[in-house]
Amino acid sequence: MRHPLSATLLRCFFSERTCRTFRGSITLGELSSSCGRFSHFMSTLCFPSTLESTQFIGTRIVCGDQLYDSARLSDLDILIAKVSGGSSEDEILWSLTHDEACVAIHASHVLVEQLLHRFKDDWKSALGVFRWAETHPSFDHAPEAYDLMVDILGKTRQFGKMRELVDEMRPKNLVTLKTVAKLMRRFAGAHQWEDVMRTFDELETFGLHKSTESMNLLLDALCKENQVELAREIFLELKSYIPPIAHTFNIFIHGWCEVNRVDEAHWTIQEMKGHGFHPCVISYSTIIQSYCQLSNYNKVYELLDEMEAQGYPPNIVSYTTIMCWLTKSEQFEEALQIAERVRLSGCKPDTLFYNALIHALGRAGRLREATEVFTVEMPKNCITPNTSTYNTMIAMFCHRGHMQKALYFLKDLEESPFCEPDPQTFYPLLKLCFKFGKTDNCLKDLLDDMTNKHHLSLDISSYTLLIHGLCRANKCDWAYLLFEEMIDKQLTPRHQTCRLLLDEVKMRSMYDAVERIQVYMRQMKASK
């Protein structure tokens, strides 16, 4: 006999990792023999009489619309499933320690790390499995597990429990500077500045010392939360007995740039020199990027000259950054002059530089030169293109309406031994199909290549493009199928997409589709 198995039971037992597509059929007995741990788990639970026999399909179990691959169950799957039903860390711990299947599982450092990463955004579950592992005889958590648990509690603002855990670590001498960095970073993220500084003041209670390294952790945590002035005050107090290093000043350079006080960042370079340290290219590159963001290119060129005059020539990253920002500002000739400056400087180009150069040439309408860079200059300099290089070429030709040339580079990418297509590869091609009205074979072939040949998933942008384009091309049925597919993948359509599709299906008297879209839109509104 075949009977329905409770959807609630399956959701409690199977993790979402085990969901798979299926075909075929199997009985409960066949499943039990192929998955002993599942049988053991079922025997530990009290089932209602309606669960005496169950329907299974292949090695998968049908649960409503959900499918679960029982043959792939592991210790990790069982623990995750058991944890998922708990509402507190104590309840989760009790559940894990009173379930025969879970008790039979051997706790290991690898398993604990997997569980903590799985529940990195769910502190109750993470702490529950952390405590469960401690119940095993002769098991001690690795220092990395303690640090990970500290970070999870801090990220979820459970500062009381985070402090309790650190107090447990203290007598075991498990608190390291890595732990301290996580404490400071999480306190700073919650704007608890006094706790950040108190952590530094209490270093000796952890068996640590106030040193240049620990001072830098403190300054970095504050600067990353835009508290550069506070960090500066603390530095002035500490520098008399804790010597700074070059990295100390780089922290401030980044910090001043983040709050758009680039002149202070530039002044910090002079302060750095006053302490006997040489600024590195990264120090200057950080300031260059900030001036680029402010479109202050005069300052950018001054810095380039200053770097060369002082013997710190810009590297390829500096030049690439400037070229990208100039292209973004539609100053194409200036961007290409940077490329010429690179050639004259003797700086060795890399793939990212050529990607930026091809993009600048394409935006300037110089397609032939962009193609020569790809086909001649890059091979000549032994630079291998990556997926972004191909994507830039494809997007460039699509933007100019050259479908065949774009498809040529797609084929070249597909045959490349170094890289493969990604969703962004196909986006401009799909867009061009709608522009040219090729919504039959061409569009279907591209989607087939994307999903079946390259096993790529459509993202929200791709679904939006397709649904809008198909609606305008009077292919409402196909657009609605994609809408349903999007919902099944738990991707949230934009309101404009729902509205457009709803108007289209209404005009075609697709009443079931109208009702489905209206229900979904009400659910979206209620969830806000």
Side-chain angles (χ1 to χ4, degrees), residues 215 232 235-236 238-249 252 267-279:
M215 177 183 71
R232 179 75 185 166
F235 170 67
L236 293 176
L238 296 177
K239 73 173 187 177
S240 60
Y241 63 95
I242 300 179
I245 58 175
H247 179 57
T248 310
F249 297 100
F252 281 112
W267 177 85
T268 302
I269 284 187
Q270 306 309 316
E271 184 184 22
M272 189 179 192
K273 294 176 183 176
H275 280 77
F277 300 109
H278 297 293

Side-chain angles (χ1 to χ4, degrees), residues 209-416:
H209 301 287
K210 293 180 181 178
S211 62
T212 302
E213 187 177 0
S214 57
M215 177 183 71
N216 285 347
L217 292 176
L218 170 62
L219 301 177
D220 188 57
L222 293 171
C223 285
K224 281 180 176 171
E225 293 300 328
N226 299 333
Q227 294 298 304
V228 195
E229 291 184 352
L230 176 58
R232 179 75 185 166
E233 290 175 13
I234 293 170
F235 170 67
L236 293 176
E237 291 179 12
L238 296 177
K239 73 173 187 177
S240 60
Y241 63 95
I242 300 179
I245 58 175
H247 179 57
T248 310
F249 297 100
N250 281 333
I251 289 170
F252 281 112
I253 290 171
H254 279 275
W256 288 126
C257 287
E258 282 297 310
V259 295
N260 291 322
R261 292 171 63 174
V262 192
D263 289 339
E264 279 93 335
H266 197 182
W267 177 85
T268 302
I269 284 187
Q270 306 309 316
E271 184 184 22
M272 189 179 192
K273 294 176 183 176
H275 280 77
F277 300 109
H278 297 293
C280 61
V281 176
I282 295 175
S283 309
Y284 279 107
S285 295
T286 303
I287 300 173
I288 284 173
Q289 179 162 335
S290 293
Y291 278 132
C292 285
Q293 289 172 332
L294 297 171
S295 296
N296 191 342
Y297 293 107
N298 288 332
K299 282 286 190 180
V300 170
Y301 295 132
E302 286 177 15
L303 273 176
L304 288 179
D305 293 338
E306 180 182 326
M307 291 172 71
E308 291 173 347
Q310 298 194 11
Y312 312 119
N315 62 14
I316 197 63
V317 176
S318 307
Y319 287 122
T320 302
T321 299
I322 299 168
M323 188 160 53
C324 285
W325 280 100
L326 285 168
T327 302
K328 189 174 182 179
S329 302
E330 298 188 352
Q331 299 185 44
F332 305 128
E333 290 306 316
E334 289 83 350
L336 297 175
Q337 286 174 15
I338 292 294
E340 186 60 29
R341 189 165 180 164
V342 169
R343 294 186 178 103
L344 294 174
S345 71
C347 191
K348 182 173 174 56
D350 61 7
T351 302
L352 296 181
F353 168 80
Y354 278 119
N355 291 353
L357 175 57
I358 291 170
H359 180 60
L361 289 166
R363 291 288 306 278
R366 295 160 67 167
L367 276 62
R368 183 183 60 79
E369 292 174 64
T371 305
E372 284 182 3
V373 168
F374 183 94
T375 59
V376 179
E377 189 172 336
M378 290 182 71
K380 179 181 177 182
N381 290 324
C382 300
I383 303 298
T384 303
N386 60 14
T387 300
S388 293
T389 319
Y390 280 101
N391 289 354
T392 303
M393 295 295 295
I394 291 168
M396 177 182 73
F397 284 116
C398 285
H399 181 69
R400 299 288 171 172
H402 300 321
M403 173 69 87
Q404 291 306 314
K405 290 183 178 179
L407 290 174
Y408 168 83
F409 279 98
L410 172 61
K411 183 179 179 182
D412 195 41
L413 170 57
E414 290 175 329
E415 295 173 353
S416 171

